[in-house]
Amino acid sequence: MPIGISDDHVELAGAFGKWAASLGGIEAARAAEEDPAATFSEITAAVDEMGLLAITADGGSLVDLAVAVEACATALLPGPLLGSAVASAVLPELPGPVALCLDGSVVHDAPGSTHALVVADDEVRLVPLEGVELTPGAGPDLTRRTSLGELSAGDGTVVPDLSAARLRSLVVTLAAAEASGVARWCLDTAVEYAGVREQFGKKIGAFQAIKHLCAQMLETTESVTAAAWDAASAVSEESAQQEFATLVAGVICFDGAVSAAKDCIQVLGGIGFTFEHDAQLYLRRAIALRALVGSSSSYAARLAGLAADGVRRHVHIDLDEAEDEARAEVRAEAERIGALPEEERRAALAESGFLTPHWPQPHGLGADPVHQLVIDEELDRAGVQRPDLKIGAWAAPTIIAHGNDEQRDRFVGPTLRGEIEWCQLFSEPGAGSDLASLRTKAVRDANPDGQSGWRLTGQKVWTSLAHAADWGICLARTNPEAKQHAGITYFLVDMKSEGLEVRPLRELTGEAMFNEVFLDGVFVPDECVVGEVDGGWKLARTTLSNERVAMAGSHLGDSPERAVRLLVAGEVAEQRAAVGTAVAWATVVRLLATRSTLRSLAGQGPGPESSVAKLVGVRSRQDSAELVVELLGPRIFTDDDLAREALHEQLMTRCLSIAGGTTQVLRNVAGERILGLPRG
């Protein structure tokens, strides 16, 4: 999805996208390839006529401007657009197309511009270019021109209330919007090609290597877009928040755009390496943008310093006035729960519906996304933390959606109150991510009392918390003659049943959270079959239509926070950039979650952010955990608390790319279900 989330922004992006594509910018750039002084005046005039550079002057926000700039970059419009867009955000009236000179000698987009914004010490001046002697420069971007020369800042006029730092921040923000447009074109182009190009009798998108490469491009592109969106969104916030968001964009967006362009060419293969294909133009734009703003490591080092000073990104969401009116009632209930003794709060949360407000009544409130966020905010304000339902968060919704009244009464309330703990008996030695191939069988039988039911026989593995669970949700094959996805039934298994044995599996951390579970003729009565016999596959994939919506917090996660603490202690100053990079990626994971929440608030269907957040989040946690161990160096051989915690985190996070579907399987899913690539 592009930068814009709201209906207005989606409409704005669509309008500018169609318009920009109609201007033939790439053709104009190719025609002017040998002209170092090309001004692209016709396109520059069209940009002015379209009103793009008047967006902020007409009351629009910087996000509005970023949406339009992203759309233009997707079409790779040539000419002095970036400098003019930056100038339009700070000047009450544009004198004409505006170039940028950030270092005193390189003037970006000078051909065709009437003025330049020039940085001189800590002030910014608007310098007329008429009569100034500039020589044509060289550069990778064929859609833009650069000139060289010494600009005398004293010849211009000082731009009021615009520092050099503020100008650079705006340049990064709008260049990040361009980077998002570049990355998005590269992703779309690669996916389209992978869906039609055939090799070895198949569409190349069906090959896992191509599918994974496209899925990784999706991860990169959504991360770039999220960071660019946040940089533009933070412009009205206090200075530390603005700076934090801009630095995250500096770390993420420009390397990401270059990476997406390179991967696009890789998917295209030989045709992508030709000059005739437009992919090389997008790679050139991405390289030029990165050279303009500077290396990501410089932004990462500054971001680490900001994090060390205690700054974290807090994204504010404006909620509906109607919910603000209902807030008093929610606040009163949250304060009542907060005043209770700790041991009584869980029952009160369950009774009030505040524990799972997205669940339907009477187990929850059937709350819409906005109401959920109000409850979250007021519980946080009252100092009330929800308990983790663990596997119960999967078991109970399935029982609510597909079980009968007796099952709902028997299991849902006790699960919410913490009286029942659950485990999930899905994975098997020969059926991990491929659940359809499970072999645990269930055959019709009766117990000695004549009660009708089923006998379950088989082995489950990687069962978290089985040693402590009261009940398990179990898939077993009831019809061996049916197709793989059919003939499976969803059972509720009493973990104290005769014939059931739990054997702890010691994992690489040295702990035993996972277990093997052996079922030897375990009897399950008919009353513990959820849904229809042979209909369990659908239940296994159940999620309630009213999905949980939550705001991502500002906490970076254990490992990035540990890295920042080491920096504060003065132990890792030389690796400041690595710490900042970890901070940036942890922030992006939360931005992806925030954008998913905003999409829900806008009444839109799920976007790709939630799926991407899982993939990016796993990589962020694993990389940051590894970084902390690296930062500790020889200290890892000591027995102090931090060394133990850091090593445990690095070892434990290895499971994240395996549990809940391996990263490779999830990339297959993302490639097929989000990007629409063919199945292998």
Side-chain angles (χ1 to χ4, degrees), residues 105-118:
S105 60
V106 180
V107 188
H108 301 275
D109 290 331
S113 295
T114 61
H115 293 71
L117 286 173
V118 181

Side-chain angles (χ1 to χ4, degrees), residues 177-192:
E178 286 205 352
S180 179
V182 168
R184 199 153 295 285
W185 182 92
C186 293
L187 172 63
D188 291 345
T189 299
V191 169
E192 181 181 7

Side-chain angles (χ1 to χ4, degrees), residues 102 119 207 233 247 494 543 610:
L102 304 180
V119 173
F207 296 117
S233 301
L247 293 174
D494 186 341
T543 54
S610 57

